Amino acid sequence: MIKTVPYLAEAAIEKDAESLLSEFSDARDVVIEAPIPIEEIIEKYLKIGIEFDDLDSRFGVEKFFDTGDPDILGAMYFDKKRIAISEHLVPEENPNMEGRYRFTLAHEGGGHWRLHRHLLERDAGQWSLFGREAAPSVICRSNQRKARVEWQADYYASCLLMPQNLVRAAWAEAFPDRKPRVLAPEKSVDHSLVE
């Protein structure tokens, strides 16, 4: 089920991501620089636990038939302050997935936790009444990327991992003359709309 959340302006999302970085910087007395220490922000500052699991099997979902990739990349348990990440993203076992892992952490622990917790939290006592483990508050599936709740969490993650001030500083360092650039792709693009 796709969760419905109210519209949030991009500027408001970016401002909250900047606030989280500032809060973390003040609390830990560190200077924020790339790469953003997302695990430390999630685990030590927000005090949200991180676990790995085969989420597709746990929630009875088939992997994508064409690629075999997992459909569920992460899940957020607001009541338990816990993020479950697909075991396919374990950075030590799959170093080529580290970027996806870091983005998923920022998406769940930044985006959903900061933007949506107050809207989507459930009463944890409800589940324990029936002796069942609480279901996740949010399950992030690859096929829900266009849902507003997922788009907002994605945008939050991008603002958190690539703060505008650090991106601008890196650009200014790489191109001190400040002239506009069009970067050529490594592979040519064969498309009718591309010259």
Side-chain angles (χ1 to χ4, degrees):
M1 182 173 110
I2 297 176
K3 311 283 184 174
T4 304
V5 296
Y7 170 80
L8 288 173
E10 289 177 13
I13 296 171
E14 185 174 0
K15 184 176 181 178
D16 193 86
E18 289 171 358
S19 293
L20 176 55
L21 289 172
S22 180
E23 292 165 17
F24 171 75
S25 174
D26 292 346
R28 297 283 175 197
D29 196 26
V30 295
V31 175
I32 298 297
E33 52 190 18
I36 301 300
I38 191 63
E39 286 178 314
E40 193 172 337
I41 291 171
I42 300 300
E43 290 183 303
K44 294 181 180 170
Y45 178 68
L46 295 175
K47 307 234 186 293
I48 299 172
I50 301 168
E51 67 180 42
F52 294 96
D53 198 353
D54 181 355
L55 299 179
D56 287 347
S57 295
R58 178 188 251 188
F59 300 116
V61 174
E62 293 291 323
K63 297 191 183 339
F64 285 129
F65 295 109
D66 55 343
T67 64
D69 291 336
D71 182 33
I72 300 175
L73 299 173
M76 182 77 227
Y77 294 82
F78 293 134
D79 54 342
K80 293 184 175 186
K81 286 190 84 169
R82 191 176 85 217
I83 297 170
I85 303 281
S86 171
E87 64 185 5
H88 300 283
L89 302 181
V90 177
E92 294 80 17
E93 294 174 19
N94 298 306
N96 61 327
M97 297 302 286
E98 184 174 357
R100 178 73 251 184
Y101 162 70
R102 290 174 49 76
F103 190 85
T104 302
L105 271 183
H107 173 100
E108 300 294 340
H112 287 314
W113 182 260
R114 295 277 292 207
L115 298 178
H116 305 133
R117 180 180 72 236
H118 68 285
L119 299 169
L120 305 176
E121 250 178 339
R122 280 192 243 102
D123 180 14
Q126 245 179 350
W127 292 95
S128 61
L129 263 173
F130 301 106
R132 297 188 332 211
E133 181 184 355
S137 307
V138 181
I139 297 176
C140 298
R141 299 181 62 156
S142 297
N143 65 1
Q144 294 176 343
R145 286 186 209 150
K146 299 293 182 191
R148 183 183 295 159
V149 67
E150 295 303 321
W151 183 90
Q152 288 176 356
D154 276 353
Y155 188 71
Y156 193 102
S158 68
C159 294
L160 188 60
L161 294 174
M162 298 183 307
Q164 194 175 127
N165 62 332
L166 294 183
V167 171
R168 289 184 185 276
W171 185 266
E173 185 178 321
F175 305 108
D177 61 8
R178 297 187 171 261
K179 289 182 182 178
R181 302 278 193 302
V182 176
L183 302 178
E186 288 181 18
K187 296 180 184 176
S188 64
V189 179
D190 184 25
H191 192 276
S192 62
L193 299 177
V194 177
E195 292 183 14

